[in-house]
Amino acid sequence: MDTANFGQLWDRVTGTQPDPPWWLVIVVGILALLAVAHGPTWRIARNVVTIAHEGGHALVALLTGRKLDGVRLHSDTSGVTVSRGKPHGPGMVFTAMAGYITPPLLGLGFAGLLSLGRITLMLWASLGLLILMLIMIRNAYGVLSVVGTGAIIFAVSWLGNPEIQAGFAYLGAWFLLFAGARPVIELQRLRSRRMAPGSDADQLAHLTGVPGLTWVFLFGLIALVSLLAGGKLLAPDTSAFPHLPGQ
C-alpha cells in the first residue's frame, strides 16, 4: 500500500461521519434490547459477550504481568482464560474482576466514540480487539466464533453504506450496554442454587475475603451505570424529533 492509499484509509478510519437518523438509533436500540431479552436469540448473541468477557480477563492478566496460556470459547457460550502467576495478590484480583465488567465498559467506550461521530473508528477498533483476541484463542470453536464475528464487522465497515454502518455500530454499542446486566443476573441465579462454586465472584471472595454477593452487586452496579451513561451518549438529540402541528 503506497503512502497516498494509506493516507486515504487513515482518513476513512479516523474521520467523522454524520449522525444517523434519530429513528435508526431508536430502532436498533430496541432490537438490541430484544436480543438480550429473548431467550433463543440471547443464546446465540451471548457469544459476543463471552468474547468480551474472556478478552477482559486476558487483557488484564497481561497488563498485571501474568503469563497468559490462552483463551477457550465453547459452543454453550461459556469460556475460560488460563493465566499463570501468583495465585493471590492484586494481579489475580484484577484479572478475576475484569470479566463481568468488560462488556458494559466496552459498550460505554463504543458509545463515547459514536457520540463523537467516529462510527468507522468504532467498527475498526472492534476489529483490532478481535484480532488481538484471535491470537490468544486455543480451540477451534473459539477461532470460528472470533473470525465469524470479525468477518461480519469487516464486511459492514468495508462494504456497507453510511446508514448501514451507523445502524450496525449503534446496534453493537446498545447490545453491549444492555447485555452487561443479564450475565450478572444469571451468575447470581446459579450461585443461589449452589451451581457455580468456581464463579468469578466466588474466586474474588476467596482472594479478598469480601463476600461473593458484594462482588455480584459491584458487577451489576457497573453494568447499570454504564447503561445509563452510554444510553445518554447514544440517545438522539430530541431537537431532531418531528414536531406535531401547533407545537
PDB file of all heavy atoms in Angstrom, residues 109-143:
ATOM      1  N   GLY A 109     -17.459   2.657  26.128  1.00  0.00           N
ATOM      2  CA  GLY A 109     -16.397   3.222  25.295  1.00  0.00           C
ATOM      3  C   GLY A 109     -16.844   3.400  23.856  1.00  0.00           C
ATOM      4  O   GLY A 109     -16.574   4.433  23.219  1.00  0.00           O
ATOM      5  N   PHE A 110     -17.539   2.396  23.324  1.00  0.00           N
ATOM      6  CA  PHE A 110     -18.049   2.498  21.959  1.00  0.00           C
ATOM      7  C   PHE A 110     -19.076   3.622  21.850  1.00  0.00           C
ATOM      8  O   PHE A 110     -19.112   4.350  20.851  1.00  0.00           O
ATOM      9  CB  PHE A 110     -18.680   1.174  21.539  1.00  0.00           C
ATOM     10  CG  PHE A 110     -17.687   0.091  21.234  1.00  0.00           C
ATOM     11  CD1 PHE A 110     -18.085  -1.241  21.158  1.00  0.00           C
ATOM     12  CD2 PHE A 110     -16.355   0.385  21.015  1.00  0.00           C
ATOM     13  CE1 PHE A 110     -17.179  -2.239  20.872  1.00  0.00           C
ATOM     14  CE2 PHE A 110     -15.434  -0.615  20.733  1.00  0.00           C
ATOM     15  CZ  PHE A 110     -15.844  -1.934  20.660  1.00  0.00           C
ATOM     16  N   ALA A 111     -19.930   3.762  22.867  1.00  0.00           N
ATOM     17  CA  ALA A 111     -20.913   4.842  22.867  1.00  0.00           C
ATOM     18  C   ALA A 111     -20.214   6.199  22.834  1.00  0.00           C
ATOM     19  O   ALA A 111     -20.675   7.139  22.160  1.00  0.00           O
ATOM     20  CB  ALA A 111     -21.815   4.739  24.095  1.00  0.00           C
ATOM     21  N   GLY A 112     -19.101   6.313  23.555  1.00  0.00           N
ATOM     22  CA  GLY A 112     -18.336   7.555  23.541  1.00  0.00           C
ATOM     23  C   GLY A 112     -17.813   7.881  22.149  1.00  0.00           C
ATOM     24  O   GLY A 112     -17.881   9.026  21.702  1.00  0.00           O
ATOM     25  N   LEU A 113     -17.287   6.873  21.443  1.00  0.00           N
ATOM     26  CA  LEU A 113     -16.804   7.093  20.080  1.00  0.00           C
ATOM     27  C   LEU A 113     -17.943   7.512  19.154  1.00  0.00           C
ATOM     28  O   LEU A 113     -17.798   8.430  18.336  1.00  0.00           O
ATOM     29  CB  LEU A 113     -16.132   5.829  19.546  1.00  0.00           C
ATOM     30  CG  LEU A 113     -14.761   5.474  20.122  1.00  0.00           C
ATOM     31  CD1 LEU A 113     -14.289   4.139  19.563  1.00  0.00           C
ATOM     32  CD2 LEU A 113     -13.742   6.568  19.783  1.00  0.00           C
ATOM     33  N   LEU A 114     -19.080   6.837  19.278  1.00  0.00           N
ATOM     34  CA  LEU A 114     -20.215   7.147  18.408  1.00  0.00           C
ATOM     35  C   LEU A 114     -20.754   8.537  18.675  1.00  0.00           C
ATOM     36  O   LEU A 114     -21.202   9.233  17.755  1.00  0.00           O
ATOM     37  CB  LEU A 114     -21.310   6.101  18.592  1.00  0.00           C
ATOM     38  CG  LEU A 114     -20.940   4.676  18.154  1.00  0.00           C
ATOM     39  CD1 LEU A 114     -22.082   3.709  18.434  1.00  0.00           C
ATOM     40  CD2 LEU A 114     -20.575   4.651  16.670  1.00  0.00           C
ATOM     41  N   SER A 115     -20.725   8.972  19.926  1.00  0.00           N
ATOM     42  CA  SER A 115     -21.202  10.326  20.251  1.00  0.00           C
ATOM     43  C   SER A 115     -20.322  11.393  19.622  1.00  0.00           C
ATOM     44  O   SER A 115     -20.753  12.537  19.448  1.00  0.00           O
ATOM     45  CB  SER A 115     -21.262  10.515  21.769  1.00  0.00           C
ATOM     46  OG  SER A 115     -19.957  10.609  22.329  1.00  0.00           O
ATOM     47  N   LEU A 116     -19.079  11.023  19.292  1.00  0.00           N
ATOM     48  CA  LEU A 116     -18.155  11.951  18.635  1.00  0.00           C
ATOM     49  C   LEU A 116     -18.187  11.818  17.121  1.00  0.00           C
ATOM     50  O   LEU A 116     -17.387  12.458  16.425  1.00  0.00           O
ATOM     51  CB  LEU A 116     -16.728  11.704  19.142  1.00  0.00           C
ATOM     52  CG  LEU A 116     -16.495  11.936  20.646  1.00  0.00           C
ATOM     53  CD1 LEU A 116     -15.085  11.496  21.033  1.00  0.00           C
ATOM     54  CD2 LEU A 116     -16.720  13.395  20.998  1.00  0.00           C
ATOM     55  N   GLY A 117     -19.067  10.971  16.605  1.00  0.00           N
ATOM     56  CA  GLY A 117     -19.173  10.772  15.162  1.00  0.00           C
ATOM     57  C   GLY A 117     -18.141   9.830  14.586  1.00  0.00           C
ATOM     58  O   GLY A 117     -17.973   9.748  13.366  1.00  0.00           O
ATOM     59  N   ARG A 118     -17.450   9.071  15.452  1.00  0.00           N
ATOM     60  CA  ARG A 118     -16.396   8.160  14.984  1.00  0.00           C
ATOM     61  C   ARG A 118     -16.982   6.753  14.744  1.00  0.00           C
ATOM     62  O   ARG A 118     -16.612   5.783  15.426  1.00  0.00           O
ATOM     63  CB  ARG A 118     -15.254   8.101  15.993  1.00  0.00           C
ATOM     64  CG  ARG A 118     -14.536   9.422  16.250  1.00  0.00           C
ATOM     65  CD  ARG A 118     -13.912   9.959  14.956  1.00  0.00           C
ATOM     66  NE  ARG A 118     -12.823  10.881  15.186  1.00  0.00           N
ATOM     67  CZ  ARG A 118     -12.952  12.181  15.440  1.00  0.00           C
ATOM     68  NH1 ARG A 118     -14.155  12.696  15.538  1.00  0.00           N
ATOM     69  NH2 ARG A 118     -11.901  12.955  15.591  1.00  0.00           N
ATOM     70  N   ILE A 119     -17.870   6.643  13.782  1.00  0.00           N
ATOM     71  CA  ILE A 119     -18.547   5.374  13.519  1.00  0.00           C
ATOM     72  C   ILE A 119     -17.567   4.347  12.947  1.00  0.00           C
ATOM     73  O   ILE A 119     -17.477   3.220  13.421  1.00  0.00           O
ATOM     74  CB  ILE A 119     -19.735   5.594  12.570  1.00  0.00           C
ATOM     75  CG1 ILE A 119     -20.795   6.453  13.258  1.00  0.00           C
ATOM     76  CG2 ILE A 119     -20.342   4.262  12.124  1.00  0.00           C
ATOM     77  CD1 ILE A 119     -21.920   6.900  12.337  1.00  0.00           C
ATOM     78  N   THR A 120     -16.826   4.731  11.906  1.00  0.00           N
ATOM     79  CA  THR A 120     -15.869   3.808  11.290  1.00  0.00           C
ATOM     80  C   THR A 120     -14.772   3.427  12.271  1.00  0.00           C
ATOM     81  O   THR A 120     -14.358   2.263  12.327  1.00  0.00           O
ATOM     82  CB  THR A 120     -15.256   4.438  10.028  1.00  0.00           C
ATOM     83  OG1 THR A 120     -16.301   4.807   9.123  1.00  0.00           O
ATOM     84  CG2 THR A 120     -14.332   3.455   9.326  1.00  0.00           C
ATOM     85  N   LEU A 121     -14.300   4.380  13.046  1.00  0.00           N
ATOM     86  CA  LEU A 121     -13.260   4.087  14.036  1.00  0.00           C
ATOM     87  C   LEU A 121     -13.765   3.078  15.052  1.00  0.00           C
ATOM     88  O   LEU A 121     -13.016   2.168  15.463  1.00  0.00           O
ATOM     89  CB  LEU A 121     -12.819   5.374  14.729  1.00  0.00           C
ATOM     90  CG  LEU A 121     -11.728   5.231  15.799  1.00  0.00           C
ATOM     91  CD1 LEU A 121     -10.464   4.623  15.195  1.00  0.00           C
ATOM     92  CD2 LEU A 121     -11.426   6.578  16.441  1.00  0.00           C
ATOM     93  N   MET A 122     -15.009   3.196  15.469  1.00  0.00           N
ATOM     94  CA  MET A 122     -15.577   2.242  16.426  1.00  0.00           C
ATOM     95  C   MET A 122     -15.591   0.840  15.836  1.00  0.00           C
ATOM     96  O   MET A 122     -15.235  -0.140  16.496  1.00  0.00           O
ATOM     97  CB  MET A 122     -16.987   2.678  16.829  1.00  0.00           C
ATOM     98  CG  MET A 122     -17.708   1.716  17.766  1.00  0.00           C
ATOM     99  SD  MET A 122     -18.763   0.603  16.791  1.00  0.00           S
ATOM    100  CE  MET A 122     -19.483  -0.413  18.072  1.00  0.00           C
ATOM    101  N   LEU A 123     -15.978   0.707  14.564  1.00  0.00           N
ATOM    102  CA  LEU A 123     -16.011  -0.605  13.922  1.00  0.00           C
ATOM    103  C   LEU A 123     -14.607  -1.188  13.777  1.00  0.00           C
ATOM    104  O   LEU A 123     -14.389  -2.373  14.032  1.00  0.00           O
ATOM    105  CB  LEU A 123     -16.690  -0.499  12.550  1.00  0.00           C
ATOM    106  CG  LEU A 123     -18.184  -0.138  12.574  1.00  0.00           C
ATOM    107  CD1 LEU A 123     -18.689   0.118  11.162  1.00  0.00           C
ATOM    108  CD2 LEU A 123     -18.998  -1.244  13.227  1.00  0.00           C
ATOM    109  N   TRP A 124     -13.663  -0.354  13.389  1.00  0.00           N
ATOM    110  CA  TRP A 124     -12.298  -0.865  13.210  1.00  0.00           C
ATOM    111  C   TRP A 124     -11.602  -1.119  14.537  1.00  0.00           C
ATOM    112  O   TRP A 124     -10.741  -2.000  14.626  1.00  0.00           O
ATOM    113  CB  TRP A 124     -11.502   0.101  12.329  1.00  0.00           C
ATOM    114  CG  TRP A 124     -11.823  -0.110  10.877  1.00  0.00           C
ATOM    115  CD1 TRP A 124     -13.041   0.022  10.287  1.00  0.00           C
ATOM    116  CD2 TRP A 124     -10.919  -0.503   9.846  1.00  0.00           C
ATOM    117  NE1 TRP A 124     -12.966  -0.264   8.940  1.00  0.00           N
ATOM    118  CE2 TRP A 124     -11.670  -0.582   8.643  1.00  0.00           C
ATOM    119  CE3 TRP A 124      -9.562  -0.782   9.798  1.00  0.00           C
ATOM    120  CZ2 TRP A 124     -11.095  -0.952   7.426  1.00  0.00           C
ATOM    121  CZ3 TRP A 124      -8.982  -1.138   8.582  1.00  0.00           C
ATOM    122  CH2 TRP A 124      -9.753  -1.218   7.418  1.00  0.00           C
ATOM    123  N   ALA A 125     -11.963  -0.378  15.557  1.00  0.00           N
ATOM    124  CA  ALA A 125     -11.445  -0.690  16.892  1.00  0.00           C
ATOM    125  C   ALA A 125     -11.934  -2.072  17.327  1.00  0.00           C
ATOM    126  O   ALA A 125     -11.182  -2.848  17.934  1.00  0.00           O
ATOM    127  CB  ALA A 125     -11.885   0.380  17.892  1.00  0.00           C
ATOM    128  N   SER A 126     -13.195  -2.376  17.008  1.00  0.00           N
ATOM    129  CA  SER A 126     -13.727  -3.705  17.310  1.00  0.00           C
ATOM    130  C   SER A 126     -12.920  -4.780  16.589  1.00  0.00           C
ATOM    131  O   SER A 126     -12.592  -5.821  17.167  1.00  0.00           O
ATOM    132  CB  SER A 126     -15.201  -3.793  16.884  1.00  0.00           C
ATOM    133  OG  SER A 126     -15.978  -2.802  17.503  1.00  0.00           O
ATOM    134  N   LEU A 127     -12.603  -4.512  15.321  1.00  0.00           N
ATOM    135  CA  LEU A 127     -11.801  -5.478  14.558  1.00  0.00           C
ATOM    136  C   LEU A 127     -10.419  -5.666  15.182  1.00  0.00           C
ATOM    137  O   LEU A 127      -9.917  -6.795  15.274  1.00  0.00           O
ATOM    138  CB  LEU A 127     -11.641  -4.999  13.110  1.00  0.00           C
ATOM    139  CG  LEU A 127     -12.830  -5.207  12.176  1.00  0.00           C
ATOM    140  CD1 LEU A 127     -12.560  -4.549  10.828  1.00  0.00           C
ATOM    141  CD2 LEU A 127     -13.105  -6.690  11.999  1.00  0.00           C
ATOM    142  N   GLY A 128      -9.798  -4.568  15.602  1.00  0.00           N
ATOM    143  CA  GLY A 128      -8.484  -4.667  16.228  1.00  0.00           C
ATOM    144  C   GLY A 128      -8.513  -5.507  17.488  1.00  0.00           C
ATOM    145  O   GLY A 128      -7.625  -6.340  17.731  1.00  0.00           O
ATOM    146  N   LEU A 129      -9.534  -5.311  18.308  1.00  0.00           N
ATOM    147  CA  LEU A 129      -9.663  -6.097  19.532  1.00  0.00           C
ATOM    148  C   LEU A 129      -9.886  -7.572  19.218  1.00  0.00           C
ATOM    149  O   LEU A 129      -9.359  -8.453  19.916  1.00  0.00           O
ATOM    150  CB  LEU A 129     -10.816  -5.549  20.376  1.00  0.00           C
ATOM    151  CG  LEU A 129     -10.606  -4.150  20.968  1.00  0.00           C
ATOM    152  CD1 LEU A 129     -11.882  -3.655  21.633  1.00  0.00           C
ATOM    153  CD2 LEU A 129      -9.451  -4.160  21.975  1.00  0.00           C
ATOM    154  N   LEU A 130     -10.658  -7.850  18.172  1.00  0.00           N
ATOM    155  CA  LEU A 130     -10.899  -9.249  17.792  1.00  0.00           C
ATOM    156  C   LEU A 130      -9.626  -9.914  17.272  1.00  0.00           C
ATOM    157  O   LEU A 130      -9.397 -11.097  17.527  1.00  0.00           O
ATOM    158  CB  LEU A 130     -12.006  -9.318  16.740  1.00  0.00           C
ATOM    159  CG  LEU A 130     -13.424  -9.066  17.256  1.00  0.00           C
ATOM    160  CD1 LEU A 130     -14.392  -8.937  16.093  1.00  0.00           C
ATOM    161  CD2 LEU A 130     -13.867 -10.197  18.188  1.00  0.00           C
ATOM    162  N   ILE A 131      -8.805  -9.158  16.549  1.00  0.00           N
ATOM    163  CA  ILE A 131      -7.533  -9.719  16.067  1.00  0.00           C
ATOM    164  C   ILE A 131      -6.632 -10.062  17.246  1.00  0.00           C
ATOM    165  O   ILE A 131      -5.999 -11.128  17.284  1.00  0.00           O
ATOM    166  CB  ILE A 131      -6.843  -8.720  15.119  1.00  0.00           C
ATOM    167  CG1 ILE A 131      -7.637  -8.610  13.810  1.00  0.00           C
ATOM    168  CG2 ILE A 131      -5.408  -9.156  14.832  1.00  0.00           C
ATOM    169  CD1 ILE A 131      -7.151  -7.503  12.888  1.00  0.00           C
ATOM    170  N   LEU A 132      -6.573  -9.172  18.233  1.00  0.00           N
ATOM    171  CA  LEU A 132      -5.782  -9.467  19.433  1.00  0.00           C
ATOM    172  C   LEU A 132      -6.342 -10.699  20.157  1.00  0.00           C
ATOM    173  O   LEU A 132      -5.577 -11.527  20.655  1.00  0.00           O
ATOM    174  CB  LEU A 132      -5.791  -8.255  20.372  1.00  0.00           C
ATOM    175  CG  LEU A 132      -5.064  -7.008  19.879  1.00  0.00           C
ATOM    176  CD1 LEU A 132      -5.239  -5.871  20.870  1.00  0.00           C
ATOM    177  CD2 LEU A 132      -3.577  -7.297  19.655  1.00  0.00           C
ATOM    178  N   MET A 133      -7.660 -10.791  20.204  1.00  0.00           N
ATOM    179  CA  MET A 133      -8.295 -11.938  20.855  1.00  0.00           C
ATOM    180  C   MET A 133      -7.968 -13.224  20.116  1.00  0.00           C
ATOM    181  O   MET A 133      -7.701 -14.261  20.731  1.00  0.00           O
ATOM    182  CB  MET A 133      -9.816 -11.714  20.891  1.00  0.00           C
ATOM    183  CG  MET A 133     -10.588 -12.771  21.630  1.00  0.00           C
ATOM    184  SD  MET A 133     -10.273 -12.688  23.411  1.00  0.00           S
ATOM    185  CE  MET A 133     -11.452 -13.905  23.993  1.00  0.00           C
ATOM    186  N   LEU A 134      -7.958 -13.163  18.781  1.00  0.00           N
ATOM    187  CA  LEU A 134      -7.695 -14.355  17.974  1.00  0.00           C
ATOM    188  C   LEU A 134      -6.323 -14.941  18.273  1.00  0.00           C
ATOM    189  O   LEU A 134      -6.148 -16.171  18.282  1.00  0.00           O
ATOM    190  CB  LEU A 134      -7.808 -13.994  16.489  1.00  0.00           C
ATOM    191  CG  LEU A 134      -7.682 -15.139  15.492  1.00  0.00           C
ATOM    192  CD1 LEU A 134      -8.775 -16.175  15.716  1.00  0.00           C
ATOM    193  CD2 LEU A 134      -7.726 -14.593  14.069  1.00  0.00           C
ATOM    194  N   ILE A 135      -5.359 -14.072  18.534  1.00  0.00           N
ATOM    195  CA  ILE A 135      -4.003 -14.531  18.847  1.00  0.00           C
ATOM    196  C   ILE A 135      -3.994 -15.387  20.114  1.00  0.00           C
ATOM    197  O   ILE A 135      -3.177 -16.310  20.254  1.00  0.00           O
ATOM    198  CB  ILE A 135      -3.059 -13.321  19.012  1.00  0.00           C
ATOM    199  CG1 ILE A 135      -2.954 -12.563  17.689  1.00  0.00           C
ATOM    200  CG2 ILE A 135      -1.677 -13.761  19.491  1.00  0.00           C
ATOM    201  CD1 ILE A 135      -2.208 -11.238  17.805  1.00  0.00           C
ATOM    202  N   MET A 136      -4.932 -15.113  21.026  1.00  0.00           N
ATOM    203  CA  MET A 136      -4.941 -15.795  22.319  1.00  0.00           C
ATOM    204  C   MET A 136      -5.830 -17.035  22.355  1.00  0.00           C
ATOM    205  O   MET A 136      -5.818 -17.780  23.326  1.00  0.00           O
ATOM    206  CB  MET A 136      -5.399 -14.809  23.404  1.00  0.00           C
ATOM    207  CG  MET A 136      -4.507 -13.588  23.526  1.00  0.00           C
ATOM    208  SD  MET A 136      -5.037 -12.414  24.810  1.00  0.00           S
ATOM    209  CE  MET A 136      -6.453 -11.634  24.022  1.00  0.00           C
ATOM    210  N   ILE A 137      -6.622 -17.270  21.293  1.00  0.00           N
ATOM    211  CA  ILE A 137      -7.564 -18.391  21.274  1.00  0.00           C
ATOM    212  C   ILE A 137      -6.817 -19.709  21.100  1.00  0.00           C
ATOM    213  O   ILE A 137      -5.871 -19.798  20.316  1.00  0.00           O
ATOM    214  CB  ILE A 137      -8.595 -18.207  20.144  1.00  0.00           C
ATOM    215  CG1 ILE A 137      -9.467 -16.982  20.427  1.00  0.00           C
ATOM    216  CG2 ILE A 137      -9.456 -19.439  19.981  1.00  0.00           C
ATOM    217  CD1 ILE A 137     -10.379 -17.135  21.612  1.00  0.00           C
ATOM    218  N   ARG A 138      -7.281 -20.740  21.814  1.00  0.00           N
ATOM    219  CA  ARG A 138      -6.609 -22.032  21.784  1.00  0.00           C
ATOM    220  C   ARG A 138      -7.547 -23.201  21.426  1.00  0.00           C
ATOM    221  O   ARG A 138      -7.177 -24.347  21.626  1.00  0.00           O
ATOM    222  CB  ARG A 138      -5.965 -22.321  23.161  1.00  0.00           C
ATOM    223  CG  ARG A 138      -4.864 -21.358  23.558  1.00  0.00           C
ATOM    224  CD  ARG A 138      -3.668 -21.465  22.637  1.00  0.00           C
ATOM    225  NE  ARG A 138      -2.584 -20.585  23.057  1.00  0.00           N
ATOM    226  CZ  ARG A 138      -2.410 -19.349  22.617  1.00  0.00           C
ATOM    227  NH1 ARG A 138      -3.270 -18.853  21.724  1.00  0.00           N
ATOM    228  NH2 ARG A 138      -1.415 -18.599  23.039  1.00  0.00           N
ATOM    229  N   ASN A 139      -8.706 -22.925  20.862  1.00  0.00           N
ATOM    230  CA  ASN A 139      -9.568 -24.028  20.435  1.00  0.00           C
ATOM    231  C   ASN A 139     -10.316 -23.642  19.166  1.00  0.00           C
ATOM    232  O   ASN A 139     -10.457 -22.463  18.832  1.00  0.00           O
ATOM    233  CB  ASN A 139     -10.546 -24.449  21.539  1.00  0.00           C
ATOM    234  CG  ASN A 139     -11.602 -23.407  21.829  1.00  0.00           C
ATOM    235  OD1 ASN A 139     -11.326 -22.216  21.822  1.00  0.00           O
ATOM    236  ND2 ASN A 139     -12.824 -23.851  22.106  1.00  0.00           N
ATOM    237  N   ALA A 140     -10.786 -24.654  18.433  1.00  0.00           N
ATOM    238  CA  ALA A 140     -11.364 -24.444  17.103  1.00  0.00           C
ATOM    239  C   ALA A 140     -12.644 -23.619  17.163  1.00  0.00           C
ATOM    240  O   ALA A 140     -12.848 -22.722  16.340  1.00  0.00           O
ATOM    241  CB  ALA A 140     -11.642 -25.791  16.436  1.00  0.00           C
ATOM    242  N   TYR A 141     -13.525 -23.908  18.123  1.00  0.00           N
ATOM    243  CA  TYR A 141     -14.762 -23.145  18.198  1.00  0.00           C
ATOM    244  C   TYR A 141     -14.475 -21.686  18.504  1.00  0.00           C
ATOM    245  O   TYR A 141     -15.141 -20.792  17.977  1.00  0.00           O
ATOM    246  CB  TYR A 141     -15.705 -23.716  19.257  1.00  0.00           C
ATOM    247  CG  TYR A 141     -17.008 -22.944  19.326  1.00  0.00           C
ATOM    248  CD1 TYR A 141     -18.033 -23.205  18.416  1.00  0.00           C
ATOM    249  CD2 TYR A 141     -17.201 -21.923  20.264  1.00  0.00           C
ATOM    250  CE1 TYR A 141     -19.213 -22.466  18.435  1.00  0.00           C
ATOM    251  CE2 TYR A 141     -18.374 -21.188  20.292  1.00  0.00           C
ATOM    252  CZ  TYR A 141     -19.382 -21.474  19.379  1.00  0.00           C
ATOM    253  OH  TYR A 141     -20.532 -20.745  19.386  1.00  0.00           O
ATOM    254  N   GLY A 142     -13.500 -21.439  19.354  1.00  0.00           N
ATOM    255  CA  GLY A 142     -13.139 -20.058  19.658  1.00  0.00           C
ATOM    256  C   GLY A 142     -12.656 -19.318  18.424  1.00  0.00           C
ATOM    257  O   GLY A 142     -13.035 -18.165  18.196  1.00  0.00           O
ATOM    258  N   VAL A 143     -11.831 -19.978  17.610  1.00  0.00           N
ATOM    259  CA  VAL A 143     -11.361 -19.365  16.370  1.00  0.00           C
ATOM    260  C   VAL A 143     -12.536 -19.059  15.450  1.00  0.00           C
ATOM    261  O   VAL A 143     -12.649 -17.967  14.886  1.00  0.00           O
ATOM    262  CB  VAL A 143     -10.343 -20.288  15.657  1.00  0.00           C
ATOM    263  CG1 VAL A 143     -10.034 -19.763  14.257  1.00  0.00           C
ATOM    264  CG2 VAL A 143      -9.063 -20.403  16.477  1.00  0.00           C
TER     265      VAL A 143
END
